[in-house]
Structure formats: structure tokens, C-alpha cells
Amino acid sequence: MLAKILSTSYLGVEGYPVTVEVDISSGLPAFELVGLPNTAIREAKERVRTALKNSPYPFPPQRITTNLAPADIPKQGSYFDLPIAIGILAAQNVIPTHSLNEYAFVGELSLDGNIKPIKGALAMALTVRDLNLKGLILPRENYQEVITVQQIELIPVSNLKEVVDFVQTHQYKRPDTISPPEPAEPCDIDLKDIRGQHFARRGLEIAAAGGHNLLLIGPPGSGKTLLAKALPSILPPLTEEEALEVTRIHSIAGQISHHSTLFTQPPFRQPHHSITPAALIGGGRIPVPGEVSLAHNGILFLDEMTEFRRNMLDQLRQPLENGQVIITRNRYRLTFPTQFILVGAANPCKCGYYGDPITPCICSPKEVKKYFQHISGPLLDRIDLQIQVSRVSGKELLSQHRSESSGEVQNRVELAREIQRIRFVSERFKLNSQISPARLAQYCPLTSQARQSLTQALEQLQLSARGYHQIIKIARTLADLRQSTIIQLQDIAEAIQYRSLDRIYR
Amino acid sequence: MNKIELGEMGELLALEYLINEGYTLLAKNYRTAFGEIDLVVSKDETIIFVEVRTRRTLSFGTPEESITRVKRERLIRLALQFCAHHYLYSQNLRFDVIAIYLDNDKPKLHHIPHAFSQEV
């Protein structure tokens, strides 16, 4: 007897349907599993056998052949345990089969028949929705994660018996109280707690408003890390579409707590400088998202950026430029989205005090020059805002003058973003930093004065074409923050001074 | 009582038990060039190949433990040969183990239905 059970899997961030076919025939007792399973799936045999026995449901002493179709895509993960077990029961006619093709099943079995949480539940629920199926049977722990997918019936189950009961009666235990989604991790750093640093605060505001990349350079203890960590507090919350994208990636990477629902705040990722290329960009035999994708729609913060290996930083160039990484394996190409704001923090030189008014720098001019060569030119060229963070003086530190709070800055950022949303409504990109060179003239009208000073700067600073474009884009954001449609001289003038590295290290 | 006598006694005890349980005997000590199957019985349209293990002492492990992978593979080969020999196709096959422990000459019998299957 043959049974077909629907399930889903994912490759990259896209889900796809999988049909689990189970055939039971007479012959030498054996349990065969085909359809390019990896080790975790192959071991499903023992989990399914034991879970069925302990639930207790019959496990036939017959020849069981299981196929995971489409058979040419390598599959991984433990979430086929449940569909295989249900398939074995259906093939023995232990459970009715007429309604099975309306629901998809995913879940990992433990030996006692309990169902354990899986990775990527959100991607799977979205696939089920796109396939126009009636519902998804999934582990109870994953329920909160997918609760926002409302177009399909979500049936949370905690053991095999509940699944069988559902298939027989179409009744299931609804979660008694839907616990309110855990408040997003409060951003515990508020701009109002940061004294002084007016220049850097302005930089953060621009970065947040236009999605520009930012590099903070300053001596040790000047507050670079603190400033970077305050950036999430002024970013607007994610839109529903962005939240789905972010949660889907985190769900596939298994970086999600089972108590929270959608991400509402932009993610903030801070990889250590010992990170490997695969962990940064994404990779593996069956590729999983890396830090750049986990930072999608949020912030990738590289503290002590000069300590990262040079080739590691250079790998960021493609994701920064294209907003996605493409990972190619011999059977398929996967695209992971990587629209993030890059925030780097670094000391100005090896000893850390170059340009500091108090502590003298002990580096030789050659060493100073060499220090930033660690970050390659092409990467630095992609960082629009290069900001010097100087030490906060004792007077500023002790002053009772209240700094502006994150909330106030966030309001201005949201206004600027709203202007951009309306302006780019028919475009594929959303933020000023993503304007393509072809559209620059259309979206960034300059006054003649502004144009003149830009031409001058171009000659004097020997800017690259990209540098030229970036100055215009930053000026666009500055104009948006002022709520002006035309870019004026003051915007251009301010934008130019944020490209400070060229000036200092040349 | 030597080893051969012990084995035969165990097989008789197992057969007695199986007949009491409603199984039909198909063959006893089915022997080929590869080896021997202790008992072949049938019940509910399933052919069951039974390996009987008899032990007098547990100092060398329990009877159940003494069935190694090689032994299992040999039994599977023998079973296929038995089926071919008797023109038995598309039948349900099952491998059982009956472990007998002779404690103070009072036998303890443990029947393990579907003890193993083909490893793929």
C-alpha cells in the first residue's frame, strides 16, 4: 500500500514542497529511504521506528520504501520524521488517508513519540500558504514563530498521538492562551545617555535616515562602540514585510527564540573578528545564511574593524554593492538578501591616539599610513560616512546639559524615511543609499551653487566616481532630514566633510 | 549434556512453545551450504525464521546478545534461499529470536518477534 504525505523543506531562504511517499510491501523486512537524504534524515529510520513503537502504533515487519520527492535536491534536517511516521501509519491504513493531501506535516520525533521543534518553520509556513494548502501541522514550540501566517490553519502538536487524533477527528488542542509576543529586546542604550559627540550623533542620524554605511574612527575609550550600539534605538521599527524577511532568515539559521513571534526591531549583528568566511557570508555544503544575511534590514557592526582579516572584509564588497549574496553549488545557486547598514569602529592608528589632543601618538608616519591599508580601498570607498570620534572632555562628561533622546532623533529619521518611501514608491530600492547611478540625476536635483561646489570638491579631493555618487546620496539624505526636495549647497558641503579618511591618510 | 545436545533441547523447547502459540512448522534445521536455520514456521500468512539460542550460564553474555551482524546477514541469505527453494514469492517474512536460558535446569524462554530486519 502506498501513501503520500505532503511536507516542505527549504533551500537558501526559499521553501519548496516535498512529497514523502511511503510504500509498504511484503518481502524481506527492511526500511529504505531514498531521495538524497543527509545523515540526519537517514537516522530518521531509527527515530520513526522507535517513536511509533513507543506511542504505541504498529511498525510493520515488512519492506518499507520511503522516497522524498523531488528526488534530485539534497535534503537535510530532521523535520521529515513526522511525515515519514504518518506515511507509515497511512500506508498500513491505521489512519484515514482522504484528508491527508490538504495538510503538510513537519516535525522531529524523539524516541518516546514527542515532537521537537525544528528550524525554518516560518519559511515552511509561507510555502504552505503559497501552495494553497489548508494547513500545516508543526511542533508546538514553533507555533509562536509562525502565528503571523494567518491564511492557513496552523495545528501545533506535541506528540504523535495528537497528530493521529487530528487526522482522525480534525480536532486539535488549541493553545490555551496565546501568550503575548515577548517585547523586543529593549535597546538598552539611549542617545540621551551619551554626552557630547555631536558630530558622531549627526552621523548616526544620517546613517539611520538614508541607510548609509558608517565608520567611526577614534582613540580607545572615546565611545565608538557605545555610539554604534545606540544606532538600533533610532532606526524605525521594521515594516511587516521586512519583519517577515528578517524572521524567515533567522528562523532558517535557527537563531530564533521559540517564544517570540516576528522580529519587530531591526537586527543588530556584531560578529567577532575571528569569524570565518562561511559564517560571515553564508555557506556550507547545503548553504545556510551568514552574518551578512542575519543583519538583513538591520545593522552589521564590525567592532575593531582593522582587526578583521583583510580578505574577510573584502568579501563584504559584493553583499554591500548588490544587497544580496549568491552562493553557487554544483546543483543550484542560492540568493540570500543582505541589505544592511555596515557600521565599523576602528582606532585611527596602531597605538590608537593619532590625532588625539591629549595623549601623543607614538606611531611612525609610515605605521599610521599602513594601518588603514588593512581595510582595502574598495571597501573604504563603499563606506559613505567616515566619522572622527574624539574623546569626550571632562567638562562635557560632567555637564548637566541633557542630550537629545533616541526617541526624538527617531522621529526625524522616520520623517526622512517616509519622504524616501513616497519618492521611491515605484522603484525596487527603498533608501537613498541604494539609488542606482542611472536614477541619481532624477532623484537628486542640485542647485547650481551646490553643483559648482561639488565639482570643485571632485577636483580637489580626487574622488572616485563612486565617491562622487555617494556624496550626492548623503546630501540627498541631508536634504530629506531638512524636508527639502532640492539639494542645496549646505547639504553638499556637509556631505563632503564625511569623507574624511581620504583627507587624513593621504 | 554437551553443546549439541543442549542446542537440540533448546530447539525442541522453542518448537513446543511456538506450536502452543498457534504457529505451524514448515521446516526444522533447514540446512544448506551456507548454514542452517533452526526453525521455519508460519502464522497469519507470514513466514517466520526463528533462530534459537540456548545458554546455561550468563558469564558470556545473554543469549540475545550472541547474535552478531554476520549471523544476521547469514540468516537473511538463508531465508531468501528457503523462499526461492520453495517457490515462495511476495510473502511477508519475519525474523524472530527465541532465547532460552537454562537456570538450574528450569528453562526460561524469551521470544523476540521481528528481532531484526535487513540493514540498508
Side-chain angles (χ1 to χ4, degrees):
Chain A
M1 168 92 198
L2 176 73
K4 285 187 184 181
I5 308 293
L6 298 175
S7 183
T8 69
S9 181
Y10 51 81
L11 204 50
V13 287
E14 297 300 322
Y16 61 91
V18 173
T19 311
V20 179
E21 301 171 332
V22 180
D23 177 70
I24 298 183
S25 59
S26 54
L28 208 54
F31 192 170
E32 276 187 275
L33 191 53
V34 295
L36 298 185
N38 75 346
T39 316
I41 303 181
R42 214 168 292 135
E43 287 175 348
K45 289 196 279 194
E46 296 307 317
R47 286 192 296 271
V48 168
R49 190 201 306 269
T50 318
L52 281 173
K53 194 191 85 192
N54 288 337
S55 275
Y57 295 106
F59 187 86
Q62 286 172 302
R63 187 167 199 90
I64 303 169
T65 313
T66 305
N67 178 33
L68 308 174
D72 61 340
I73 304 177
K75 295 165 198 79
Q76 64 173 353
S78 51
Y79 36 80
F80 293 120
D81 293 4
L82 179 61
I84 292 173
I86 296 298
I88 289 173
L89 293 179
Q92 298 179 86
N93 287 324
V94 175
I95 52 173
T97 53
H98 52 85
S99 64
L100 284 178
N101 57 2
E102 293 173 337
Y103 293 91
F105 296 77
V106 286
E108 177 186 323
L109 287 174
S110 75
L111 296 185
D112 56 6
N114 285 334
I115 293 173
K116 291 186 173 171
I118 54 168
K119 284 183 191 174
L122 183 65
M124 293 172 174
L126 292 172
T127 312
V128 169
R129 184 192 68 186
D130 297 342
L131 290 171
N132 288 323
L133 292 179
K134 210 164 157 188
L136 174 69
I137 288 132
L138 80 167
R140 186 169 294 273
E141 279 95 334
N142 290 105
Y143 185 65
Q144 284 285 336
E145 184 183 330
V146 299
I147 202 162
T148 40
V149 187
Q150 293 188 337
Q151 296 87 337
I152 56 169
E153 208 178 324
L154 295 163
I155 297 116
V157 286
S158 47
N159 58 49
L160 209 47
K161 190 170 175 305
E162 285 182 27
V163 185
V164 172
D165 286 349
F166 172 76
V167 175
Q168 282 169 342
T169 61
H170 284 258
Q171 302 284 317
Y172 63 96
K173 214 171 88 199
R174 278 162 214 279
D176 352 311
T177 46
I178 295 167
S179 49
E182 262 181 21
E185 242 173 74
C187 181
D188 50 355
I189 296 168
D190 195 292
L191 275 183
K192 73 170 188 283
D193 302 326
I194 300 176
R195 299 267 181 267
Q197 305 289 20
H198 305 288
F199 192 52
R201 293 167 69 103
R202 176 76 172 156
L204 288 182
E205 184 175 333
I206 300 164
H212 302 284
N213 300 320
L214 175 73
L215 177 61
L216 299 163
I217 305 157
S222 56
K224 302 179 295 290
T225 309
L226 193 66
L227 282 161
K229 286 186 172 165
L231 184 55
S233 68
I234 59 171
L235 280 176
L238 297 175
T239 65
E240 201 182 319
E241 189 193 352
E242 288 170 336
L244 269 179
E245 281 174 7
V246 171
T247 314
R248 184 199 281 232
I249 296 169
H250 282 250
S251 155
I252 282 171
Q255 300 250 350
I256 204 163
S257 103
H258 292 303
H259 307 293
S260 56
T261 54
L262 286 186
F263 273 70
T264 49
Q265 296 301 315
F268 183 84
R269 304 294 301 185
Q270 186 182 359
H272 186 251
H273 55 71
S274 62
I275 189 171
T276 63
L280 184 66
I281 303 298
R285 199 175 66 81
I286 296 178
V288 291
E291 289 290 334
V292 289
S293 299
L294 291 171
H296 178 59
N297 286 332
I299 299 154
L300 181 69
F301 175 44
L302 304 181
D303 205 359
E304 307 301 346
M305 196 167 172
T306 44
E307 297 299 324
F308 281 77
R309 285 212 305 277
R310 194 184 166 140
N311 63 343
M312 200 76 71
L313 292 175
D314 276 344
Q315 297 198 41
L316 289 172
R317 279 153 60 178
Q318 192 210 3
L320 276 175
E321 196 66 19
N322 303 339
Q324 59 184 35
V325 280
I326 296 171
I327 296 176
T328 312
R329 294 289 179 264
N330 59 356
R331 285 167 200 274
Y332 41 79
R333 284 156 59 90
L334 298 179
T335 309
F336 292 106
T338 60
Q339 300 274 8
F340 57 87
I341 300 176
L342 176 68
V343 180
N347 294 136
C349 67
K350 205 167 153 191
C351 79
Y353 293 102
Y354 181 66
D356 191 66
I358 305 157
T359 318
C361 172
I362 53 166
C363 302
S364 67
K366 196 176 162 196
E367 279 176 326
V368 172
K369 209 161 178 186
K370 211 172 156 215
Y371 193 64
F372 265 89
Q373 282 174 3
H374 213 80
I375 307 175
S376 71
L379 181 65
L380 270 187
D381 209 27
R382 284 171 172 84
I383 300 180
D384 328 348
L385 297 161
Q386 298 152 358
I387 288 181
Q388 308 282 317
V389 183
S390 51
R391 268 204 273 189
V392 186
S393 68
K395 209 174 110 197
E396 273 178 319
L397 209 56
L398 296 173
S399 80
Q400 292 300 310
H401 178 73
R402 190 186 142 276
S403 307
E404 208 176 14
S405 77
S406 287
E408 293 165 66
V409 182
Q410 193 184 29
N411 287 342
R412 284 199 301 274
V413 169
E414 283 190 33
L415 277 176
R417 287 240 176 165
E418 181 63 18
I419 293 172
Q420 295 171 60
R421 197 185 63 75
I422 294 164
R423 185 191 309 138
F424 302 138
V425 77
S426 60
E427 295 285 353
R428 293 232 321 274
F429 50 84
K430 292 178 288 192
L431 296 169
N432 287 339
S433 57
Q434 301 159 353
I435 303 178
S436 60
R439 295 263 189 268
L440 214 54
Q442 178 190 344
Y443 289 122
C444 306
L446 301 168
T447 61
S448 60
Q449 261 182 323
R451 182 169 303 282
Q452 210 177 355
S453 89
L454 184 59
T455 320
Q456 239 174 37
L458 194 62
E459 278 163 14
Q460 276 176 14
L461 296 175
Q462 298 170 347
L463 290 174
S464 66
R466 188 189 289 123
Y468 166 75
H469 288 154
Q470 273 170 354
I471 287 182
I472 299 183
K473 289 180 196 172
I474 292 178
R476 175 71 269 172
T477 304
L478 292 168
D480 288 342
L481 281 170
R482 290 192 298 116
Q483 310 196 17
S484 148
T485 44
I486 296 179
I487 299 172
Q488 293 189 340
L489 179 61
Q490 63 184 94
D491 302 320
I492 289 288
E494 192 182 344
I496 290 170
Q497 52 167 330
Y498 293 123
R499 288 193 75 81
S500 58
L501 269 187
D502 296 345
R503 259 199 329 265
I504 296 165
Y505 293 93
R506 207 164 263 163
Chain B
M1 190 158 51
N2 66 20
K3 273 166 76 176
I4 298 175
E5 287 169 351
L6 178 73
E8 280 172 3
M9 193 183 113
E11 281 163 24
L12 285 175
L13 282 170
L15 183 57
E16 199 178 72
Y17 161 81
L18 286 171
I19 287 173
N20 274 338
E21 293 286 310
Y23 292 81
T24 316
L25 180 67
L26 297 183
K28 186 166 178 304
N29 298 104
Y30 176 76
R31 189 180 282 268
T32 74
F34 298 127
E36 191 188 73
I37 308 179
D38 293 339
L39 295 169
V40 184
V41 294
S42 78
K43 189 185 184 182
D44 301 335
E45 294 171 19
T46 303
I47 300 177
I48 301 130
F49 301 90
V50 188
E51 173 69 16
V52 185
R53 307 300 272 180
T54 319
R55 285 278 170 103
R56 261 181 301 200
T57 160
L58 295 182
S59 15
F60 302 105
T62 60
E64 296 90 328
E65 276 176 300
S66 68
I67 300 182
T68 61
R69 184 195 174 94
V70 178
K71 183 80 187 167
R72 289 200 299 266
E73 281 165 6
R74 187 193 297 153
L75 277 168
I76 287 169
R77 270 206 306 278
L78 285 166
L80 290 176
Q81 200 184 7
F82 179 89
C83 292
H85 185 180
H86 294 94
Y87 305 103
L88 298 164
Y89 299 116
S90 349
Q91 299 286 321
N92 287 331
L93 308 179
R94 202 175 87 192
F95 294 90
D96 286 10
V97 170
I98 293 184
I100 297 170
Y101 173 47
L102 289 175
D103 186 21
N104 301 327
D105 294 331
K106 247 190 244 155
K108 277 183 194 156
L109 188 143
H110 181 204
H111 180 199
I112 310 166
H114 191 30
F116 57 90
S117 59
Q118 190 185 17
E119 312 278 333
V120 192

